[in-house]
Amino acid sequence: MATPAAGLLTGCAMGGDDDSGDDSAGRGEKTAENPFGVKADAPLEVVIFNGGYGEEYAKAHEAMYSEKYPNAKITHSSTQEISKTLQPRFVDGSPPDVVNNSGAGQIDPGALVSQGALADLGELLDAPSLDVPGKKVRETLLPGVVEVGSYDGRFHVLNISYTAYGIWYSTKLFADRGWEYPRTWDDHIALCRTIKAAGIAPWTYAGKHPRYMSWPVISTAVKLGGLDVAKNIDNLEPNAWTSDAMRTAADAWHQIVKDQFILPGTPGLDHVQSQTEWCRGKAALISCGSWIENEQKAVTPAGFDMAIAPTPSLGAGDKLPFEAIRGTAGEPFIVPAKAKNVAGGLEYFRTVLSMRGAKDFTQKVSALSVVAGAAEGATLPPGLTTVVKALDASGANGFNWVYNNYYRKLERELVDAACGEFFSGRIGPADFLAQCQKGADMIAQDSSLKKYKRA
């Protein structure tokens, strides 16, 4: 979807940076209780991506909004094709007030930002929390939430779910077999040999979306070389993909290909099919984000007890400890700059980010909210319980990258294709990284694409 999404705004009068935040005509008086100047009877339209989280959580947030603004008519709809559904409305200047811009059909957020099509959410961050006394909204958020939604220092995208990315396994399978999750790379390879000898494939992955395997490769490199490895990739620095840390990481991961540790047929499986094979015990390890538990709940056997773990450490020279894990905010929401009720969109977000809204979200979708403390006291399923523990253990050593937000095509097409070649065994690590770097250079040299800088 990257090409049509990028082209969606070409030549359209979307309003640039100078006027994208000027929506004063649609606002009422601003007060301490009403910091955005929401008009009490202004209608609010919300469009939700109906994916792994469903739409019931959003209906609950809308009901909370209605408690405060009972005279505001709320129009709710959901789709699995955000771009296809909303492209015409962005083009003709009549977008909804709130959009859950997620899924495979997501509109390229970098393109939307570069065309001035998104409202600046900065005033949301500085508004008082609805129900956390004495704190601004920004002070209630987990680390990294603002950074991942910011472009050139302006906050445009609110991600409402906090996601950990790591390697998943069944604690029951490991306990039954007497296996222990490996903390070092050598122990990982030794365990893979043991698993294969037991008649189980050590690994599977989303063969039709092989970028899922770029996540452990980059994580391994970041833990080895430090945070600059990710920042250089984000900033399209020359040779960022072929750095010493990336080469060492790619060489290490090549071993699971060479030693045939991957479930046969994996390249032909999509994400759900590979995850289902894993749930059936056909493979022991899989790379995914923490949405996997909710996504697989219909087919996960009782007692499977899935758990997340960080990538194993390459060695004593790693700059980050074993416990360091990639954590980031996901599930993006936007308020279009041309929305009729920008103030209502901001207030809706304030509702989502209230402690009440955040706790309800966690309970409904078995995922962490980006609001700190929202999971306290909640009954969490096994996988999410391990996510909370893993993020706590990672602490200040947590890391992330954002090139996939800045330049959607780079991850979804170019790195994805390179991963497909690499993990299916058609190319080696040097060619894999060279392909990734070639893709990054192509993006860097494309003058039609706005470039973003991560500090």
Side-chain angles (χ1 to χ4, degrees), residues 146-201:
V146 176
E147 181 188 38
V148 80
S150 295
Y151 295 75
D152 289 341
R154 300 181 83 174
F155 186 51
H156 287 290
V157 181
L158 172 65
N159 292 276
I160 69 167
S161 176
Y162 205 77
T163 302
Y165 291 78
I167 297 172
W168 291 80
Y169 66 100
S170 163
T171 54
K172 182 182 187 302
L173 173 65
F174 273 51
D176 289 350
R177 298 281 183 159
W179 300 335
E180 211 171 292
Y181 184 82
R183 295 174 63 89
T184 69
W185 190 259
D186 289 346
D187 287 346
H188 166 238
I189 295 302
L191 176 62
C192 285
R193 293 192 179 111
T194 300
I195 293 171
K196 188 175 181 180
I200 299 171

Side-chain angles (χ1 to χ4, degrees), residues 6 8 17 29 107 130 137 235 260 300 354 359 370 384 390 397:
L8 133 79
D17 289 339
E29 183 184 353
I107 304 173
L130 269 175
V137 168
N235 291 331
Q260 298 182 337
T300 304
S354 67
K359 282 183 177 292
V370 294
L384 193 56
N397 292 308

